[in-house]
Amino acid sequence: MKLEELRPLVGVGRQLYVETYGCQMNVSDSEILVSIMQDEGYRYTENIAEADVILVNTCSIRDNAEQRIWGRLNEFRRYKKARKNLVVGVVGCMAERLREELLNDGVVDIVAGPDAYRDMPRLVAMAIGGSHGVNVELSQEETYGDIRPVRLDKNGVNAFISIMRGCNNFCAYCVVPYTRGRERSRDPYTIVREAKELFEAGYRDVTLLGQNVNSYSWKPEDGGEVDFPDLVAMVADVSPLLRVRFATSHPKDLSDKLIDVMASLPNVCRAVHLPAQSGSNRMLTAMNRKYTREWYLGRLAAIRRKMPDCAISTDLIAGFCGETEEDHAQTLLLMREVGYDSAYMFKYSQRPGTQAARHMEDDIPEDVKTARLNEIIELQNELSLASNRRDMGKCFEVLVEGASRRSCKQLCGRTSQNKMVVFDAADGIKAGDYIVVKITDCTLATLFGEIVK
Ligand code: SF4
């Protein structure tokens, strides 16, 4: 027996509850965290009322995300009153940013940054012993490559695989390089192993995750390099029945090689999320995005030349520092020119410590930001509906994900373009199956259809 098998596991007999906020990276991180804690004997529970340890995986990307989490921590006071030994931990981006404030709040026992999850059993043990558990060290190497994440999703069809951590881009508005540290790529062979294990467990759709997946680069000591297109091809090779997606791409790094690899592999999904943030070159420079509107449109043209059926989605920010009506009009024009299938749209929210917070004035009044955001949302609703209407009468291969939310007599699934399709259930069709559906109706968010085969 190995020495570590003889040592007492601190978690035995204790239940762990994890609440996750923010992006897909955080969902993936929570799965890593649960895996680390289970190895230490903790049992994962979905019932907060029976938890001995509550961990909140946090997001700092916008002020309202942080405000929600502060509100939630406040609610935990009553759990703490009811259970004297309850341990509450804040992990992730907010922990990295607000360590002192969190510890002074009186509810929080543990503060752990995104690179400190391996240390969590020790931090919990410290909290149980009556002290604060704190580790907000950022690492140059940590990728959690050897950890087998515990899947917390419900459908057993879609899974995230984290392929890299951190970001080197320092977009002026973004807090991520400060909360998640420098870019590190994970060993590709551990990524492929994870994809294989997921496929064998019945998963059929994996999303390769990173802050900027296009700059993925693995350089082993004996020379050579695996870049992102190579990695996509390696994961796609696991099985033609495994769909491969990725997020997020930075337009400056989206290479012809990646487009060629995607076009040559039918199981790499026909969907690219390419955040534009603004349609104005003046704003793109101020945001330190390192590309122009013309470069961006050139990349989309290259994608559409090779994959005319590829869906394009984006992120847009309304009311960044110094944005004029003309800049805003450029964003609306870009949206029309591209005809986005979908978009994530936000008002600019100043984040302390970022380049914008240090050197620029957050000078667009709140009501102007709101009005511009509403115009962007209204236009995107129009574009999403037009995109879905173009699909009417066409047939798509759909990967079934399970029962539809509206009716147990209907199933739902996703096209390669990442659009949700609802259709009547039929005997023998279950989650994880591929079927062909003809689209007969749509709303701006959903396609409706009938099974063809
Ligand atoms: S690419 Fe820019 S927006 Fe994305 S995480 Fe990095 S700094 Fe933030």
Side-chain angles (χ1 to χ4, degrees):
M1 192 175 263
K2 289 185 209 151
L3 197 59
E4 72 250 23
E5 287 169 14
L6 292 169
R7 98 195 136 86
L9 299 174
V10 294
V12 169
R14 293 203 168 89
Q15 307 231 44
L16 167 73
Y17 174 87
V18 180
E19 201 162 285
T20 306
Y21 293 83
C23 62
Q24 293 168 338
M25 273 308 276
N26 269 11
V27 175
S28 170
D29 274 8
S30 290
E31 296 182 333
I32 288 167
L33 190 51
V34 171
S35 172
I36 290 168
M37 296 299 278
Q38 282 193 350
D39 280 353
E40 203 55 40
Y42 288 87
R43 259 195 315 129
Y44 176 71
T45 175
E46 291 184 350
N47 182 0
I48 192 167
E50 61 186 29
D52 300 291
V53 179
I54 298 175
L55 297 179
V56 189
N57 194 352
T58 58
C59 172
S60 282
I61 205 92
R62 266 168 282 283
D63 184 52
N64 60 10
E66 287 192 353
Q67 292 312 322
R68 266 179 68 206
I69 293 160
W70 280 117
R72 190 67 178 132
L73 290 174
N74 215 10
E75 288 172 27
F76 292 162
R77 282 180 210 284
R78 71 184 155 92
Y79 292 113
K80 280 214 110 167
K81 266 196 198 135
R83 271 169 292 153
K84 226 172 88 235
N85 296 324
L86 177 68
V87 171
V88 173
V90 172
V91 306
C93 291
M94 210 169 142
E96 197 62 49
R97 213 179 78 67
L98 295 169
R99 166 187 144 160
E100 292 304 328
E101 288 95 318
L102 288 164
L103 290 174
N104 291 336
D105 188 55
V107 175
V108 178
D109 306 293
I110 296 169
V111 175
D115 290 341
Y117 300 147
R118 286 182 204 268
D119 198 20
M120 187 55 74
R122 185 184 71 89
L123 300 178
V124 175
M126 284 176 72
I128 292 167
S131 15
H132 281 141
V134 181
N135 185 345
V136 290
E137 288 276 300
L138 286 174
S139 156
Q140 306 268 4
E141 284 101 33
E142 180 62 91
T143 62
Y144 301 109
D146 57 318
I147 306 280
R148 287 181 158 85
V150 170
R151 301 294 159 186
L152 301 176
D153 66 286
K154 297 283 185 293
N155 70 9
V157 177
N158 316 86
F160 300 126
I161 302 180
S162 174
I163 64 161
M164 59 193 298
R165 302 181 71 81
C167 183
N168 291 346
N169 285 318
F170 290 93
C171 299
Y173 51 83
C174 184
V175 77
V176 166
Y178 307 94
T179 58
R180 288 188 163 266
R182 297 293 81 76
E183 217 166 78
R184 292 140 272 163
S185 296
R186 179 179 166 192
D187 179 334
Y189 300 98
T190 67
I191 297 170
V192 171
R193 185 189 66 203
E194 192 173 327
K196 272 189 187 146
E197 287 172 357
L198 285 165
F199 184 74
E200 280 157 15
Y203 287 84
R204 292 292 176 266
D205 185 315
V206 293
T207 303
L208 307 180
L209 284 183
Q211 244 72 44
N212 174 14
V213 287
N214 307 122
S215 57
Y216 175 91
S217 169
W218 173 259
K219 291 189 175 131
E221 274 165 19
D222 55 359
E225 182 190 5
V226 176
D227 64 10
F228 185 60
D230 297 332
L231 179 72
V232 169
M234 286 164 73
V235 176
D237 195 41
V238 167
S239 166
L241 291 178
L242 181 69
R243 281 183 172 177
V244 183
R245 304 180 185 277
F246 52 85
T248 297
S249 301
H250 195 301
K252 77 177 166 60
D253 299 319
L254 194 126
S255 66
D256 287 338
K257 181 177 171 186
L258 176 63
I259 297 170
D260 288 342
V261 164
M262 288 181 75
S264 69
L265 296 168
N267 59 328
V268 179
C269 287
R270 298 306 187 240
V272 174
H273 184 68
L274 205 60
Q277 308 300 7
S278 171
S280 151
N281 279 336
R282 213 176 66 82
M283 283 296 99
L284 291 174
T285 305
M287 290 173 170
N288 193 30
R289 289 289 288 172
K290 305 185 186 97
Y291 56 85
T292 60
R293 174 194 180 96
E294 292 72 27
W295 166 269
Y296 182 87
L297 287 169
R299 291 291 73 202
L300 290 191
I303 293 170
R304 283 175 167 160
R305 258 196 309 277
K306 294 277 169 74
M307 295 174 288
D309 59 340
C310 189
I312 307 290
S313 55
T314 198
D315 296 342
L316 294 164
I317 297 173
F320 185 64
C321 310
E323 186 187 71
T324 62
E325 281 302 327
E326 173 54 27
D327 294 320
H328 170 60
Q330 289 288 319
T331 297
L332 297 175
L333 270 174
L334 179 81
M335 292 172 70
R336 280 202 188 279
E337 191 164 346
V338 175
Y340 290 112
D341 297 275
S342 62
Y344 295 99
M345 302 154 282
F346 307 98
K347 278 191 278 190
Y348 171 60
S349 161
Q350 189 186 66
R351 307 311 295 131
T354 57
Q355 278 184 45
R358 281 182 281 130
H359 305 299
M360 298 174 203
E361 196 187 338
D362 184 11
D363 55 354
I364 308 302
E366 205 51 32
D367 59 332
V368 176
K369 283 184 187 172
T370 304
R372 288 180 187 169
L373 177 63
N374 286 343
E375 277 189 81
I376 288 172
I377 292 172
E378 206 174 306
L379 174 54
Q380 187 52 50
N381 286 348
E382 193 188 301
L383 296 174
S384 298
L385 186 59
S387 160
N388 283 352
R389 282 195 176 137
R390 284 195 296 275
D391 290 341
M392 301 237 309
K394 293 183 191 164
C395 291
F396 290 91
E397 186 182 65
V398 169
L399 172 60
V400 181
E401 291 187 2
S404 128
R405 257 186 271 160
R406 296 178 193 192
S407 156
C408 58
K409 293 186 180 145
Q410 290 188 309
L411 295 172
C412 65
R414 225 168 271 273
T415 64
S416 173
Q417 288 77 7
N418 210 18
K419 289 188 181 181
M420 188 55 86
V421 187
V422 173
F423 49 91
D424 287 343
D427 281 349
I429 293 181
K430 57 184 188 319
D433 288 346
Y434 285 101
I435 54 167
V436 177
V437 176
K438 183 174 182 182
I439 306 305
T440 53
D441 201 359
C442 69
T443 63
L444 65 91
T446 312
L447 300 173
F448 299 90
E450 51 200 37
I451 299 171
V452 176
K453 62 176 183 179

